[in-house]
């Protein structure tokens, strides 16, 4: 079919004539730009201001609580001496097999050891050990911590008593290996995470423990500690971004829900906290200590790590989904991210349960051997405390996932800022239009009168006819 020669004929056929005879261009009413799906652009200024308006008051409230609950130095109980006056804790190395009949273990004291004001470094000694440890076994070269009891020689026995194994070297090796693995895999992000972890332990050591020992409100201490730790850990490890702020906001909401549920659950279940040896003797040295409050604080602190895990994952999931689906609506982003969240819930719930099973296996064996039904065992003493802790933490975790996902879906940058296909007016176009525009651009090109390769479009009869770019139209 002959190509139209007049502008009117060309417009009637949906094409525009070119400068040269026989060459026309398809007139596309929508000019589509097809951009690659790169990293998501930073959040808009409005979103950043909104997140700041929510988080800054929470940070100021946390700092105010820190000041109000900071324990006075004079109120903190004195340290409890590990050894009685005149006694000393020394290090020694096993030099031979133990004698099970006399419960004695031969050892050699480290150089520089002192007892009763004398240098006993390098002395060969006999260490008195409990029978259960002898059943475990002592190997030559094992490192021991021994207690020297002044005046015990007068009774004819050894003045050295076994305290514990010295584990500093192997645990130190494991700690170094852990740090190296984190740095090798996560690199700078791993280093930042380790720095945040160190900051979290500093908060617990300098504020949380002294505040609880001085009788400060346990729920307030728990909320201030968890909030401050999350501010430090998340921003140090993940940077000052809108994504991190969303995860932090979701974490704080989850912690508030956990604290509320823990307060009700521990009170309604009459969780006393008097289920361990330490909880019985610590109040003798810290009379102001609220043991039940310590349990509540532990419930909140136990939920920090898992909450941090799921909230940062959900926030990142929404941002990454936006990067690969720039035209998806916010409702669709929320729906897709919640599919990830449901998988995360399923795996995390049994992760928490198995972590407790591994830590409390001897206690569970004692429950198994006890002649009472399972329901009674699970609601008794120390097990009831851990069951409440696990259930409260899991509920807070599950609720934090949709909350964080919803906040992330509302705050993630829209399609207009992500390089999505747009029209001349700047409005996003559908994927079909973008694909159509891209396929037209990829059609074969044929030589024109000047010998250059020119694109071809379908003519009215369906056959391919030559065309030129829009810049060739007069």
């Amino acid at each position: 079919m002959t190509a139209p020669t007049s502008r009117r004929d060309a417009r009637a056929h949906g094409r525009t004539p070119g400068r040269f005879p026989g060459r026309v261009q398809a007139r596309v009413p929508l000019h589509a730009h097809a951009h690659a799906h790169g990293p998501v652009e930073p959040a808009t200024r409005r979103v950043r201001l909104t997140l700041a308006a929510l988080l800054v008051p929470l940070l100021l409230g946390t700092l105010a609580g820190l000041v109000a609950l900071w324990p006075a130095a004079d109120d903190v109980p004195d340290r409890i001496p590990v050894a009685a006056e005149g006694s000393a804790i020394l290090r020694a190395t096993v030099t031979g097999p133990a004698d099970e009949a006399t419960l004695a273990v031969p050892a050699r004291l480290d150089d520089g050891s002192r007892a009763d004001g004398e240098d006993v470094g390098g002395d060969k000694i006999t260490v008195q050990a409990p029978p259960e440890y002898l059943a475990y076994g002592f190997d030559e070269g094992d490192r021991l911590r021994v207690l020297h009891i002044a005046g015990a020689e007068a009774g004819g026995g050894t003045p050295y008593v076994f305290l514990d194994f010295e584990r500093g070297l192997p645990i130190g090796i494991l700690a170094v290996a852990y740090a190296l693995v984190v740095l090798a895999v996560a690199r700078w992000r791993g280093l930042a995470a380790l720095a945040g972890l160190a900051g979290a332990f500093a908060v617990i050591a300098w504020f949380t423990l002294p505040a609880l020992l001085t009788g400060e409100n346990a729920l307030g201490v728990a909320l201030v500690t968890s909030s401050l730790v999350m501010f430090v850990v998340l921003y140090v490890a993940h940077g000052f971004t809108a994504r991190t702020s969303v995860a932090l906001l979701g974490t704080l909401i989850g912690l508030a829900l956990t604290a509320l549920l823990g307060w009700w659950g521990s009170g309604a279940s009459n969780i006393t906290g008097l289920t361990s040896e330490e909880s019985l003797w610590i109040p003798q040295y810290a009379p102001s200590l609220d043991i039940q409050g310590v349990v509540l604080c532990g419930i909140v602190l136990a939920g920090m790590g898992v909450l941090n895990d799921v909230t940062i994952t959900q926030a990142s999931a929404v941002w990454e989904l936006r990067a690969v689906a720039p035209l998806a609506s916010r409702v669709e982003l929320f729906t897709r991210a919640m599919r990830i969240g449901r998988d995360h819930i399923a795996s995390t719930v049994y992760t928490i349960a198995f972590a407790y099973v591994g830590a409390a296996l001897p206690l569970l064996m004692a429950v198994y051997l006890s002649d009472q039904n399972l329901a009674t065992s699970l609601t008794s003493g120390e097990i009831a405390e851990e069951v409440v802790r696990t259930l409260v933490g899991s509920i807070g975790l599950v609720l934090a996932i949709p909350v964080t996902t919803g906040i992330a879906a509302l705050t993630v940058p829209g399609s207009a800022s992500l390089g999505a296909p747009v029209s001349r007016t700047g409005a996003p176009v559908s994927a079909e239009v973008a694909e159509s525009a891209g396929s037209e651009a990829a059609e074969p090109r044929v030589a024109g009168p000047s010998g250059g390769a020119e694109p071809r479009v379908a003519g009215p009869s369906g056959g391919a006819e030559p065309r030129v770019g829009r810049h060739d139209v007069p």
Side-chain angles (χ1 to χ4, degrees):
M1 180 177 177
T2 306
T5 56
S6 68
R7 289 183 183 272
R8 180 174 300 174
D9 293 337
R11 290 192 183 98
H13 288 82
R15 290 173 290 162
T16 305
R19 293 180 181 176
F20 303 99
R23 296 200 299 180
V24 295
Q25 177 197 10
R27 189 165 62 92
V28 181
L30 184 66
H31 179 54
H33 298 276
H35 297 278
H37 297 162
V40 180
E41 294 295 327
T44 63
R45 184 172 181 270
R46 180 179 179 181
V47 167
R48 293 196 301 269
L49 289 177
T50 302
L51 290 173
L54 294 173
L55 290 174
V56 169
L58 292 175
L59 176 60
L60 295 177
T62 298
L63 297 177
L66 183 68
V67 173
L69 296 174
W70 191 271
D74 295 338
D75 295 336
V76 179
D78 296 331
R79 297 295 182 92
I80 304 172
V82 178
E85 187 176 354
S87 301
I89 297 178
L90 307 175
R91 268 69 176 173
T93 304
V94 176
T95 57
D99 187 348
E100 296 185 4
T102 61
L103 305 179
V105 180
R108 177 183 178 276
L109 291 172
D110 289 357
D111 294 336
S113 300
R114 298 186 65 83
D116 289 336
E118 299 179 358
D119 185 3
V120 293
D123 289 1
K124 294 183 178 180
I125 61 172
T126 299
V127 179
Q128 196 76 16
E132 55 269 21
Y133 281 93
L134 285 171
Y136 171 79
F138 289 89
D139 297 327
E140 186 174 352
D142 282 348
R143 298 281 297 155
L144 309 178
R145 280 191 291 158
V146 299
L147 175 65
H148 176 268
I149 303 177
E153 301 95 329
T158 176
Y160 298 99
V161 179
F162 172 79
L163 282 181
D164 201 354
F165 288 98
E166 179 68 26
R167 304 181 181 91
L169 180 60
I171 292 179
I173 292 174
L174 287 175
V176 171
Y178 168 72
L180 291 177
V181 169
V182 169
L183 293 175
V185 176
R187 301 183 181 178
W188 290 110
R189 182 66 58 84
L191 179 62
L194 292 176
L197 183 62
F201 282 125
V203 171
I204 293 173
W206 292 342
F207 167 70
T208 309
L209 299 181
L212 292 175
L213 288 170
T214 56
E216 298 292 348
N217 183 273
L219 183 58
V221 171
L223 290 175
V224 169
T225 300
S226 57
S227 177
L228 184 59
V229 166
M230 286 298 98
F231 269 102
V232 172
V233 169
L234 283 175
Y235 281 126
V236 169
H238 302 283
F240 290 88
T241 64
R243 184 188 315 198
T244 305
S245 297
V246 167
L248 175 58
L249 189 58
T251 302
L252 295 179
I253 294 174
L255 287 172
L257 294 173
T258 301
L260 181 61
L261 289 170
W263 171 78
W264 178 85
S266 60
S269 303
N270 291 316
I271 301 299
T272 62
L274 302 172
T275 55
S276 64
E277 181 180 350
E278 293 79 8
S279 63
L280 295 176
W281 63 259
I282 287 180
Q284 300 176 15
Y285 297 91
S288 300
L289 178 66
D290 178 11
I291 288 294
Q292 187 178 10
V294 172
V295 174
L296 176 57
C297 184
I299 290 174
V300 177
L301 297 185
M304 281 196 306
V306 183
L307 277 173
N308 173 29
D309 177 22
V310 298
T311 54
I312 197 69
T313 299
Q314 288 305 112
S316 296
V318 172
W319 252 258
E320 295 305 320
L321 285 172
R322 170 61 82 196
V324 298
L327 297 178
S329 66
R330 298 189 185 276
V331 173
E332 188 176 6
L333 287 177
F334 175 82
T335 303
R336 293 184 180 183
M338 278 304 300
R339 294 174 189 166
I340 301 174
R342 282 190 285 270
D343 289 338
H344 209 168
I345 289 173
S347 62
T348 306
V349 164
Y350 58 69
T351 298
I352 296 174
F354 290 157
Y356 171 68
V357 169
L361 198 56
L363 178 62
L364 295 178
M365 288 189 291
V367 170
Y368 176 81
L369 292 174
S370 63
D371 187 16
Q372 59 182 358
N373 61 64
L374 182 61
T376 302
S377 299
L378 293 178
T379 56
S380 302
E382 186 176 354
I383 292 185
E385 180 179 323
E386 294 302 327
V387 168
V388 170
R389 189 195 315 274
T390 301
L391 292 177
V392 168
S394 298
I395 293 173
L397 160 72
V398 172
L399 293 178
I401 287 179
V403 170
T404 306
T405 307
I407 297 174
L410 290 173
T411 56
V412 70
S415 58
S417 63
L418 299 179
V422 295
S423 67
R424 285 173 177 168
T425 62
V429 301
S430 66
E432 290 80 3
V433 173
E435 183 179 356
S436 175
S439 63
E440 287 183 2
E443 288 180 358
R445 302 168 70 90
V446 297
S450 61
E454 300 294 341
R456 302 177 66 89
V457 297
S461 63
E465 295 188 6
R467 66 177 182 181
V468 297
R470 63 183 177 90
H471 297 295
D472 292 332
V473 179

